[in-house]
């Protein structure tokens, strides 16, 4: 009996346990499915797709981009929404020419919108390969004509390319160089930029003014202007220039960063004769100087010092040989390191007369633009140390004094000829040069007297 009781006691609970286990599993299966769906769609699962998309119409773009990070399922739903006509109208604003809307000065609101859109598409496409990401993004943006190189009829009054640029900057932030190479190649082919650049660098300067200006606007607004780090700017500028021979690189650099006319916006164009016809101002050279500094920077690994020197040499004859004063002003704006490197190269290669003449114009620019003349004297001292023998150094100093004398005589002859323009620039140039020579030698005397007194 004891054994019977024990058997019944142990067997009955075992049967109940097995049955209850089967029933609990059957009950849990539907709830497991529900919880998996909730983990991907959340409470949006209970809404029809149309209602979900209507809700998106009321969300700021930044909030939508946060929503895209919840799950892959929601991200896919958002990608589908962006591709719809409703999503297109909602997200692809086209107020590129309406720059004075109330409370939306200078188009800053639309630039901020496209920054947010860049972040949204960056997050939505996070799991796709780079090639597929670019295809999808191109499909989304392809209907916006102002994003294309030749798409807008009035590009000078349009923020379209700038919006495309800030979008691209946010989209590619943090991508490695290989991915950015693919982005550049994709844009290069998409805009047919290679053929267009080939046209402008191989034809007579100014013969394709509209195309030159469009290339300038596209390269600056889309590829160059919006990067935070100089290394990123150097990377994209290098991608633009490196496919071309050095002579074409110089032409292209002038198109992108050289001076443009100050005429009415509708008739603006690259001014090719600016560096040839007369002395120019700092504003006309600042863009070129900043680009050269960017390429010379240590982070631009693909450019050597010789590359930068060669580029500056080629630039100084675009479209013909520049006035020496404009060369000197560009060197000063490019900074001490580049200026010395450029002049030292001439010293090493025996171009002493050319170096001496350039030194005179550096002094003249310092006088005209109110730079400290002791800078020019210290630059001369550094260049003198490049010469290997005292004889070479003395020859350079003699050439320097001869250059001062010859240039003063040339300017005096221009004054005496009586062929003056309205501003009487010949006399003014002579005045500046005489003062430059006086101040240059005054600084040398200060240095020599200072060193004499300290040694005694």
């Amino acid at each position: 009996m004891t054994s019977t009781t024990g058997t019944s006691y142990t067997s009955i609970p075992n049967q109940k346990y097995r049955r209850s286990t089967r029933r609990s599993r059957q009950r849990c299966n539907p709830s497991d499915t529900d919880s998996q769906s909730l983990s991907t769609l959340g409470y949006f699962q209970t809404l029809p797709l149309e209602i979900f998309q209507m809700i998106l119409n009321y969300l700021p773009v930044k909030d939508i981009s946060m929503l895209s990070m919840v799950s892959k399922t929601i991200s896919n739903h958002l990608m589908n929404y962006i591709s719809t006509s409703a999503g297109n109208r909602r997200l692809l604003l086209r107020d590129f020419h309406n720059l004075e809307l109330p409370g939306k000065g200078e188009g800053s609101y639309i630039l901020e919108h496209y920054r947010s859109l860049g972040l949204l598409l960056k997050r939505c496409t996070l799991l796709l390969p780079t090639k597929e990401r670019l295809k999808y993004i191109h499909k989304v943006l392809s209907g916006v004509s102002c994003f294309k190189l030749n798409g807008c009829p009035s590009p000078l009054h349009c923020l379209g390319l700038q919006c495309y640029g800030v979008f691209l900057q946010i989209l590619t932030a943090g991508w490695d160089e290989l991915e950015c190479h693919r982005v550049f190649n994709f844009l290069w082919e998409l805009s047919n930029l290679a053929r267009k650049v080939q046209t402008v660098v191989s034809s007579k300067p100014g013969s394709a003014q509209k195309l030159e200006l469009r290339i300038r606007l596209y390269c600056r607004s889309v590829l160059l202007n919006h990067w935070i780090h100089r290394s990123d700017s150097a990377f994209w500028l290098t991608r633009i220039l490196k496919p071309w021979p050095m002579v074409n690189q110089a032409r292209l650099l002038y198109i992108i960063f050289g001076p443009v006319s100050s005429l009415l916006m509708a008739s603006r164009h690259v001014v090719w004769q600016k560096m040839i016809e007369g002395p120019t101002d700092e504003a006309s050279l600042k863009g070129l100087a900043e680009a050269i500094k960017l390429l010379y920077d240590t982070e631009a690994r693909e450019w050597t010092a010789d590359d930068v020197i060669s580029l500056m040499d080629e630039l100084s004859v675009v479209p013909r040989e520049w006035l020496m004063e404009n060369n000197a002003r560009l060197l000063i704006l490019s900074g001490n390191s580049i200026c010395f490197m450029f002049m030292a190269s001439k010293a090493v290669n025996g171009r002493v007369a050319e170096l001496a003449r350039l030194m005179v114009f550096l002094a003249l620019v310092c006088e005209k633009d109110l730079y400290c003349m002791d800078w020019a004297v210290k630059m001369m001292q550094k260049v003198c140390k490049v010469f290997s023998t005292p004889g070479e150094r003395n020859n350079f100093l003699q050439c320097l004094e001869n250059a001062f004398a010859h240039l003063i005589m040339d300017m005096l002859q221009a004054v005496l000829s009586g062929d003056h323009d309205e501003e009487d620039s010949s006399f003014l140039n002579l005045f500046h040069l005489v003062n430059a020579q006086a101040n240059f030698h005054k600084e040398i005397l200060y240095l020599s007297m200072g060193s004499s007194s300290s040694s005694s």
Side-chain angles (χ1 to χ4, degrees), residues 279-293:
T280 189
D281 55 1
E282 287 186 6
S284 299
L285 289 162
K286 190 174 181 180
L288 290 168
E290 289 299 319
I292 290 167
K293 284 194 285 188

Side-chain angles (χ1 to χ4, degrees), residues 388-407:
S388 55
T389 65
E392 290 176 343
R393 183 177 65 248
N394 292 339
N395 179 49
F396 164 66
L397 294 175
Q398 182 63 59
C399 288
L400 178 60
E401 293 304 318
N402 291 341
F404 264 118
H406 290 156
L407 193 57

Side-chain angles (χ1 to χ4, degrees), residues 190-347:
L190 188 65
S191 58
N192 203 10
L193 203 53
R195 186 177 63 81
K196 292 178 173 65
V197 169
Q198 180 65 51
T199 298
V200 296
V201 297
S202 60
S203 57
K204 182 180 178 181
S207 61
Q209 288 184 354
K210 290 183 178 180
L211 183 56
E212 289 171 356
L213 190 62
R214 284 188 179 274
I215 289 172
R216 177 192 180 97
L217 292 173
Y218 188 88
C219 289
R220 292 180 69 150
S221 298
V222 176
L223 301 175
L224 297 173
N225 283 358
H226 306 289
W227 304 106
I228 298 171
H229 303 293
R230 289 178 60 82
S231 58
D232 291 326
S233 301
F235 170 84
W236 290 94
L237 182 56
T238 300
R239 301 282 70 74
I240 294 170
L241 296 179
K242 274 295 185 179
W244 308 99
M246 190 65 71
V247 62
N248 290 345
Q249 288 181 20
R251 288 273 295 269
L252 189 51
L253 197 70
Y254 194 95
I255 289 171
I256 298 172
F257 295 104
V260 292
S261 62
S262 56
L263 301 173
L264 295 173
M265 290 283 285
S267 56
R268 278 198 176 176
H269 57 275
V270 178
V271 183
W272 290 96
Q273 306 302 317
K274 186 88 170 179
M275 308 302 171
I276 302 165
E277 294 177 343
T280 189
D281 55 1
E282 287 186 6
S284 299
L285 289 162
K286 190 174 181 180
L288 290 168
E290 289 299 319
I292 290 167
K293 284 194 285 188
L294 194 66
L295 299 178
Y296 182 71
D297 196 20
T298 54
E299 293 184 354
R301 298 183 299 275
E302 297 177 59
W303 297 86
T304 65
D306 287 341
D307 288 337
V308 177
I309 291 171
S310 298
L311 184 60
M312 293 186 74
D313 271 331
E314 290 291 348
L315 186 62
S316 67
V317 292
V318 172
R320 297 193 303 280
E321 187 174 357
W322 290 12
L323 294 182
M324 190 67 81
E325 181 178 330
N326 293 333
N327 276 327
R329 188 169 279 108
L330 177 63
L331 280 175
I332 291 174
L333 292 174
S334 298
N336 292 351
S337 297
I338 293 175
C339 184
F340 171 71
M341 174 192 68
F342 188 82
M343 298 181 74
S345 173
K346 293 188 181 300

Side-chain angles (χ1 to χ4, degrees), residues 431-446:
F431 171 80
H432 283 306
L433 182 59
V434 171
N435 276 333
Q437 186 186 39
N439 288 324
F440 185 79
H441 287 95
K442 178 187 72 176
E443 293 296 335
I444 294 176
L445 288 173
Y446 284 162

Side-chain angles (χ1 to χ4, degrees), residues 80-281:
N80 291 333
Y81 165 72
I82 293 167
S83 300
T84 64
S85 57
N88 239 260
R89 289 193 302 271
R90 162 80 167 88
L91 297 172
L92 298 182
L93 302 185
R94 289 174 168 83
D95 296 331
F96 303 122
H97 305 89
N98 200 4
L99 307 185
E100 298 181 358
L101 291 174
K104 302 175 180 179
E106 299 182 359
S108 59
Y109 85 99
I110 197 167
L111 291 172
E112 189 58 37
H113 172 83
Y114 275 96
R115 282 191 185 94
S116 301
L117 184 61
L119 186 59
L120 170 58
L121 290 180
K122 183 190 189 83
R123 288 171 171 173
C124 280
T125 60
L126 188 61
L127 300 178
L128 295 177
T130 301
K131 189 175 181 181
E132 296 304 315
R133 295 177 91 172
L134 295 175
K135 283 183 178 179
Y136 170 77
I137 290 166
H138 169 60
K139 181 181 177 182
V140 171
L141 302 181
S142 60
V144 184
S145 60
C146 291
F147 287 173
K148 301 172 183 177
L149 191 146
N150 285 319
C152 181
S154 55
L156 289 169
H157 300 88
C158 179
L159 284 174
L161 293 180
Q162 291 186 51
C163 289
Y164 196 18
V166 299
F167 172 90
L168 184 68
Q169 186 265 323
I170 295 295
L171 176 72
T172 59
W175 290 16
D176 61 33
E177 278 198 8
L178 179 60
E179 290 176 313
C180 291
H181 269 283
R182 288 171 178 159
V183 173
F184 178 80
N185 292 336
F186 184 81
L187 293 173
W188 193 256
E189 294 174 11
L190 188 65
S191 58
N192 203 10
L193 203 53
R195 186 177 63 81
K196 292 178 173 65
V197 169
Q198 180 65 51
T199 298
V200 296
V201 297
S202 60
S203 57
K204 182 180 178 181
S207 61
Q209 288 184 354
K210 290 183 178 180
L211 183 56
E212 289 171 356
L213 190 62
R214 284 188 179 274
I215 289 172
R216 177 192 180 97
L217 292 173
Y218 188 88
C219 289
R220 292 180 69 150
S221 298
V222 176
L223 301 175
L224 297 173
N225 283 358
H226 306 289
W227 304 106
I228 298 171
H229 303 293
R230 289 178 60 82
S231 58
D232 291 326
S233 301
F235 170 84
W236 290 94
L237 182 56
T238 300
R239 301 282 70 74
I240 294 170
L241 296 179
K242 274 295 185 179
W244 308 99
M246 190 65 71
V247 62
N248 290 345
Q249 288 181 20
R251 288 273 295 269
L252 189 51
L253 197 70
Y254 194 95
I255 289 171
I256 298 172
F257 295 104
V260 292
S261 62
S262 56
L263 301 173
L264 295 173
M265 290 283 285
S267 56
R268 278 198 176 176
H269 57 275
V270 178
V271 183
W272 290 96
Q273 306 302 317
K274 186 88 170 179
M275 308 302 171
I276 302 165
E277 294 177 343
T280 189
D281 55 1

